[in-house]
Amino acid sequence: MTRVKRSIHARKKRRATLQLAKGYRGDASRHYRVAKEAVLKADQYRYRDRRNRKRDFRRLWITRINAAARQNEMSYSQFMHGLQLAGVELDRKILADMAVRDPKVFREYVELIRSGKLKNTTSKS
């Protein structure tokens, strides 16, 4: 079996790892062995946090919608249920943005829900 000399490929691999570790503190940015571990751990965090970011944003949107709904004397659950009954198909991201940037339009949705709830309660009785 022929001998494989790895000098070029090994150097290229180490250089790529150190490039990924650029900006890390201490030995993690300068020494290959430490940098390799740091890059592996960073990749684990990156993979995990791509999923956590979705949770975090959903929590933020719900908090914003709840705050805006309570300013209009309504709870979050009542607001979302009312939107569903009224047939409004806006997602939480759009509703949260509306609550922050355009409270007048948000208030119109609250009024729509209130008028819709009156219709539904009379038809059930």
Side-chain angles (χ1 to χ4, degrees), residues 6-57:
R6 292 214 13 107
S7 67
I8 293 171
H9 297 296
R11 219 173 311 132
K12 186 177 176 184
K13 187 172 114 179
R14 288 188 198 112
R15 195 180 324 120
T17 302
L18 286 170
Q19 185 63 39
L20 288 171
K22 197 172 187 175
Y24 290 6
R25 297 185 66 165
D27 286 353
S29 66
R30 293 188 295 271
H31 298 130
Y32 173 70
R33 193 182 306 168
V34 183
K36 185 173 136 184
E37 292 174 10
V39 167
L40 284 173
K41 193 65 178 176
D43 284 346
Q44 289 175 348
Y45 289 138
R46 212 167 38 167
Y47 178 83
R48 178 197 69 191
D49 290 338
R50 277 198 298 269
R51 280 131 193 88
N52 287 353
R53 186 187 316 134
K54 295 165 184 59
R55 291 180 218 161
D56 292 343
F57 270 109

Side-chain angles (χ1 to χ4, degrees), residues 45-91:
Y45 289 138
R46 212 167 38 167
Y47 178 83
R48 178 197 69 191
D49 290 338
R50 277 198 298 269
R51 280 131 193 88
N52 287 353
R53 186 187 316 134
K54 295 165 184 59
R55 291 180 218 161
D56 292 343
F57 270 109
R58 185 180 170 95
R59 283 180 62 190
L60 175 67
W61 298 331
I62 289 172
T63 304
R64 287 180 175 175
I65 295 167
N66 188 25
R70 288 190 186 277
Q71 284 179 344
N72 292 290
E73 291 87 35
M74 189 177 279
S75 72
Y76 170 80
S77 59
Q78 290 170 333
F79 179 73
M80 294 306 283
H81 183 65
L83 284 179
Q84 189 180 13
L85 291 177
V88 177
E89 293 184 7
L90 291 175
D91 60 7

